[in-house]
């Protein structure tokens, strides 16, 4: 009876040991065939988003984003790229212009405005307008173009009291050179009875 019991215990231990081995072998096999963790997967397989935002390699060129507005350095660069044969200036006979621009203050306001454009003098430029509100939309004229004013063209009087004065000009900008162009100045009478710039077209 005792021998049978010992034999039974010995068989039981063998079965338990075999079961443990089977479990260990099954666990190892499962670990080998298990899918990789998200960390390992992300390290080995880059997503499309990750590829789109990859850091460029050292020494590779990165195209700068475009800007809607021009910086002061860009304006300076535009001046530096000006053709050697184009020199801003003015060739207007102001004595003759006085006889055409007879209304009070109009010739003086126009002359001061053109001088301010050549010098890119914002304060002087704005002072030739009826007020700051009228000057504000035309600030780009100070930096976008370079000018060579060549004469006064047609002077047109309107029933409204407005007066249009055409100024002949050669223009240069980053877009290129425009010869024999024109700018139309619209003058209006201010509260003091003098004429100031209302619009530049």
């Amino acid at each position: 009876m005792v021998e049978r019991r010992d034999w039974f215990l010995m068989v039981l231990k063998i079965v338990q040991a075999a079961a443990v081995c089977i479990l260990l072998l099954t666990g190892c096999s499962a670990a080998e065939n298990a899918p990789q963790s998200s960390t390992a997967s992300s390290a080995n397989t880059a997503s499309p988003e990750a590829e789109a935002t990859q850091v460029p390699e050292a020494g590779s060129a990165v195209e700068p984003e475009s800007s809607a507005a021009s910086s002061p350095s860009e304006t300076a660069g535009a001046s530096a790229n000006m053709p050697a044969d184009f020199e801003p200036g003015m060739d207007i006979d102001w004595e003759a212009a006085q006889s055409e621009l007879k209304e009070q203050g109009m010739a003086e306001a126009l002359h001061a405005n053109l001088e301010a454009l050549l010098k890119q003098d914002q304060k002087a430029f704005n002072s030739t307008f009826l007020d700051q509100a009228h000057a504000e939309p035309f600030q780009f004229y100070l930096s976008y173009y370079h000018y060579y004013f060549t004469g006064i063209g047609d002077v047109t009087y309107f029933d409204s009291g407005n007066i249009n004065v055409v100024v002949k000009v050669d223009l240069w900008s980053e877009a290129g050179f425009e010869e024999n162009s024109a700018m139309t100045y619209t003058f209006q009478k201010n509260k003091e009875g003098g004429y100031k710039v209302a619009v530049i077209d």
Side-chain angles (χ1 to χ4, degrees):
M1 190 74 178
V2 175
E3 289 178 0
R4 186 178 293 178
R5 181 182 174 191
D6 290 342
W7 178 84
F8 178 76
L9 289 174
M10 186 174 66
V11 170
L12 183 61
K13 287 180 181 180
I14 291 172
V15 170
Q16 286 176 342
V20 169
C21 288
I22 291 171
L23 286 175
L24 287 174
L25 290 172
T26 303
C28 290
S29 176
E32 287 176 0
N33 296 326
Q36 296 178 346
S37 66
S38 59
T39 303
S41 176
S42 63
N44 295 329
T45 307
S47 66
E49 292 83 1
E51 289 178 1
T53 57
Q54 284 179 350
V55 179
E57 295 179 3
S60 62
V62 179
E63 185 177 346
E65 295 181 0
S66 62
S67 177
S70 296
S71 67
S73 61
E74 289 171 339
T75 303
S79 298
N81 295 329
M82 192 184 305
D85 59 348
F86 180 81
E87 184 176 347
M90 191 182 322
D91 184 19
I92 296 176
D93 184 348
W94 286 103
E95 288 186 11
Q98 285 279 3
S99 64
E100 295 183 72
L101 310 175
K102 300 174 183 177
E103 284 66 25
Q104 180 184 341
M106 191 160 65
E108 292 79 7
L110 181 59
H111 191 184
N113 187 283
L114 301 185
E115 287 280 2
L117 287 175
L118 291 174
K119 297 175 181 177
Q120 297 184 329
D121 185 336
Q122 184 180 40
K123 185 176 180 181
F125 179 75
N126 291 349
S127 71
T128 65
F129 285 82
L130 288 167
D131 50 41
Q132 183 62 33
H134 281 83
E136 199 62 40
F138 306 102
Q139 299 300 301
F140 71 94
Y141 278 103
L142 287 162
S143 58
Y144 186 75
Y145 292 108
H146 295 276
Y147 309 87
Y148 186 82
F149 300 107
T150 58
I152 303 295
D154 294 336
V155 179
T156 307
Y157 294 79
F158 295 94
D159 293 338
S160 62
N162 291 354
I163 303 172
N164 279 6
V165 178
V166 175
V167 177
K168 299 174 183 178
V169 60
D170 295 336
L171 298 169
W172 185 85
S173 70
E174 285 191 345
F177 181 68
E178 299 176 45
E179 192 174 10
N180 300 324
S181 188
M183 297 166 62
T184 301
Y185 281 75
T186 300
F187 286 86
Q188 290 178 3
K189 187 183 290 187
N190 62 14
K191 295 177 182 178
E192 291 75 29
Y195 280 80
K196 293 277 192 171
V197 180
V199 176
I200 304 175
D201 188 11

